[in-house]
Amino acid sequence: MPLTVLSDSDIHSLLISLTRGDIHDLQHNLSEALHDYSTGTQETTSGCSSNQPKRLAIPAPDNQTTLFMPASTNTSRGIKIVSLATAPIPSPMHSMSSLGLDSPRNRSRSGSPVPQSPSRASSIATTTSISHGSSASSSNSSASISHASIASTTISTDASVTSSQTTTPHGSLTLLTSTGLPYAFLAAEELTAFRTALASTMIFNRRQNVHSITVFGAGAQARWHIRLALMLRGPDIHHVDIINRSFPRAKSIMHDFYQSPEWADLRAANPKLQFSILSSEYKEYQRHAKNHIRKADAIFLCTPSTSPLFPHAFLTSSEGRKKGRYISAIGSYRPHMVELHPEILRQAVSPEHKHHHHRHADKGGAIVVDSLEACLREAGEVIQAGITAEQLVELGELLMVKKASMREIEAGTGEGENGLKNWLIKGNVIYKSVGLGMMDICVGEDLVQLASARGIGTRVEGF
């Protein structure tokens, strides 16, 4: 049978060409696969959790790790093999009360300024905002740049994954038929970022208010979260705030929105959208970050951070709790890595935040996860917050919960569908993902079909 080969550039070209309808179709298929994963059995479906082997990690030189992730769906088998830099375990000497993006800290445990690292020079940090005019033109005249402040600052950066040791996964996905015959070989980098954002924006797409979005990070994950958010809810989004350690990297996303032909349709559909960038090196970073976070209707955390990206009080204080938000934390994937302060998770599942919307919880709320087993084993936020299995609900399980909540209505024993709907569309919802190989298989299957229909990629006959 023929083997379809899709390079990273092939996949990028294919993904850029997707329509809003295509995204809905891909999300529907992924939600069905996640539902099978969460609720199926070996007797009823090949895609159940029991048929998903644990991934294997093999250390490599230069702080690299190679991951082997076999998985299956109802129609395909496969294995994803990727290598990426491993985020080092942070030193316990730092407090988690003063937090910067992707592990830089402005203060020590005592609250005194941290001396500048000898390897890091003073830098100039800038906050920039750009507002797209009423014209859909991508010329420079259609955007105005205002520098809110330029100031020299020093900031300490502890051991972390540097730009030369990216956590972007480089590798491949091999797809097999249900009988074990290979039929596709895909590059994994763009695919991984896309499928993560595809799952992350499922709940986002159901939210009532998405006027303001805050995104931590400026890599492929952040870029795809922004792009899918605009494709799904573009006219409803008025502000996109990007918070990143590197100002130039974040600026490249904003530049693409206003200048790149790949973003032309989104540009035309969202002429009044405003972007802003906040660098963590800016001297008033904490104050601006707090403002961005508190006004956000949705927060996407897309960094391989080893410490929380902002103090928990930004959201756990009475002021921070005045509105419901959707928070998606997808960047950290090891027990020592955290983007979201554990206290935020503890508050979300406390008894005063009752959401009887999953089969486990008899008191308190729930954290939505891609995989209960994987997050209990690998998600730093879940582990460090002491979250139990009873306080987690899988994304695929929410489909089954809709049926259970209808029975609550009929029996008059709970809020039922209305309670579930209200929580998902306007309550405080936290989604934590560490990634599933099954998600790659599911999305990879669909992309191979789309690529074949659109003449993208290379076909090796008689493989």
Side-chain angles (χ1 to χ4, degrees):
M1 66 182 300
L3 178 78
T4 299
V5 180
L6 297 178
S7 67
D8 210 54
S9 60
D10 290 333
I11 294 174
H12 179 79
S13 298
L14 176 61
L15 296 180
I16 290 298
S17 71
L18 296 179
T19 65
R20 189 169 184 264
D22 293 331
I23 299 300
H24 282 153
D25 290 341
L26 290 169
Q27 283 190 331
H28 172 77
N29 293 341
L30 182 56
S31 67
E32 290 296 312
L34 288 169
H35 179 245
D36 288 341
Y37 172 85
S38 296
T39 65
T41 65
Q42 289 181 314
E43 290 74 29
T44 61
T45 175
S46 299
C48 66
S49 59
S50 300
N51 287 339
Q52 314 300 326
K54 293 180 181 179
R55 60 187 179 194
L56 175 66
I58 299 179
D62 299 323
N63 285 330
Q64 296 286 315
T65 298
T66 300
L67 301 175
F68 296 80
M69 295 173 281
S72 65
T73 65
N74 284 338
T75 53
S76 291
R77 311 286 183 270
I79 184 168
K80 180 180 177 182
I81 305 174
V82 294
S83 294
L84 67 167
T86 303
I89 297 176
S91 168
M93 66 180 290
H94 293 293
S95 168
M96 289 169 43
S97 62
S98 57
L99 309 158
L101 177 66
D102 204 359
S103 77
R105 298 169 176 84
N106 292 321
R107 294 184 180 274
S108 67
R109 181 179 296 274
S110 64
S112 302
V114 177
Q116 181 183 6
S117 169
S119 63
R120 187 178 184 87
S122 296
S123 60
I124 296 179
T126 313
T127 57
T128 296
S129 62
I130 295 186
S131 173
H132 190 47
S134 57
S135 170
S137 170
S138 61
S139 66
N140 290 333
S141 62
S142 67
S144 62
I145 303 179
S146 112
H147 293 281
S149 177
I150 300 179
S152 295
T153 183
T154 60
I155 186 169
S156 173
T157 306
D158 65 351
S160 185
V161 177
T162 64
S163 58
S164 63
Q165 291 184 306
T166 176
T167 56
T168 300
H170 299 285
S172 62
L173 171 68
T174 301
L175 295 178
L176 313 172
T177 65
S178 58
T179 58
L181 297 176
Y183 70 88
F185 187 74
L186 294 75
E189 182 174 341
E190 194 91 5
L191 170 64
T192 301
F194 174 77
R195 62 85 158 147
T196 304
L198 192 70
S200 180
T201 51
M202 285 182 182
I203 295 177
F204 168 83
N205 194 35
R206 300 184 62 176
R207 299 293 290 182
Q208 185 176 75
N209 296 318
V210 293
H211 301 314
S212 180
I213 297 174
T214 294
V215 181
F216 281 80
Q221 297 279 14
R223 187 179 292 265
W224 272 111
H225 276 78
I226 293 172
R227 185 176 180 88
L228 290 187
L230 292 176
M231 289 185 71
L232 294 168
R233 299 291 300 275
D236 300 321
I237 300 172
H238 303 156
H239 302 276
V240 175
D241 301 318
I242 304 174
I243 302 177
N244 193 59
R245 182 167 58 181
S246 167
F247 177 82
R249 195 175 187 192
K251 188 178 179 182
S252 70
I253 297 179
M254 188 165 62
H255 177 272
D256 285 350
F257 176 81
Y258 291 113
Q259 303 293 330
S260 172
E262 294 182 347
W263 293 71
D265 290 344
L266 292 175
R267 207 160 43 236
N270 304 278
K272 296 182 179 180
L273 181 69
Q274 294 183 338
F275 271 84
S276 77
I277 297 173
L278 175 63
S279 166
S280 61
E281 295 177 333
Y282 179 49
K283 67 177 181 178
E284 296 188 36
Y285 166 73
Q286 291 288 335
R287 179 172 65 84
H288 286 281
K290 180 170 68 174
N291 291 337
H292 286 324
I293 290 165
R294 284 189 173 170
K295 79 174 184 181
D297 298 299
I299 302 173
F300 295 115
L301 308 178
C302 308
T303 78
S305 181
T306 56
S307 63
L309 299 177
F310 53 87
H312 69 81
F314 285 6
L315 296 181
T316 58
S317 66
S318 57
E319 186 68 26
R321 294 163 61 183
K322 284 185 176 180
K323 66 186 296 183
R325 297 176 184 83
Y326 172 59
I327 303 175
S328 173
I330 58 86
S332 59
Y333 52 91
R334 299 288 295 275
H336 69 280
M337 299 173 70
V338 290
E339 296 177 286
L340 197 59
H341 198 292
E343 186 59 32
I344 297 174
L345 276 72
R346 294 190 194 102
Q347 185 186 80
V349 300
S350 65
E352 62 185 274
H353 293 274
K354 292 184 178 180
H355 308 298
H356 297 284
H357 306 313
H358 64 106
R359 62 184 177 184
H360 301 304
D362 55 4
K363 62 179 181 179
I367 307 298
V368 183
V369 295
D370 53 355
S371 167
L372 187 149
E373 181 182 3
C375 284
L376 286 173
R377 185 176 64 246
E378 300 170 348
E381 293 93 344
V382 171
I383 295 170
Q384 295 182 31
I387 303 298
T388 65
E390 290 72 23
Q391 295 168 321
L392 301 177
V393 55
E394 289 180 341
L395 183 59
E397 191 182 1
L398 289 177
L399 295 176
M400 183 190 70
V401 173
K402 293 184 69 175
K403 299 178 182 179
S405 61
M406 288 304 296
R407 289 195 294 270
E408 284 188 6
I409 292 178
E410 295 171 359
T413 58
E415 293 177 301
E417 179 72 7
N418 290 331
L420 173 63
K421 180 179 178 181
N422 287 336
W423 177 52
L424 289 177
I425 70 173
K426 58 185 179 182
N428 282 303
V429 179
I430 297 174
Y431 170 66
K432 176 61 194 175
S433 170
V434 293
L436 286 172
M438 179 274 297
M439 296 165 66
D440 297 289
I441 304 295
C442 175
V443 176
E445 288 180 275
D446 288 342
L447 294 187
V448 169
Q449 292 181 10
L450 287 170
S452 297
R454 300 180 186 186
I456 297 176
T458 303
R459 285 171 61 90
V460 181
E461 300 293 339
F463 182 82

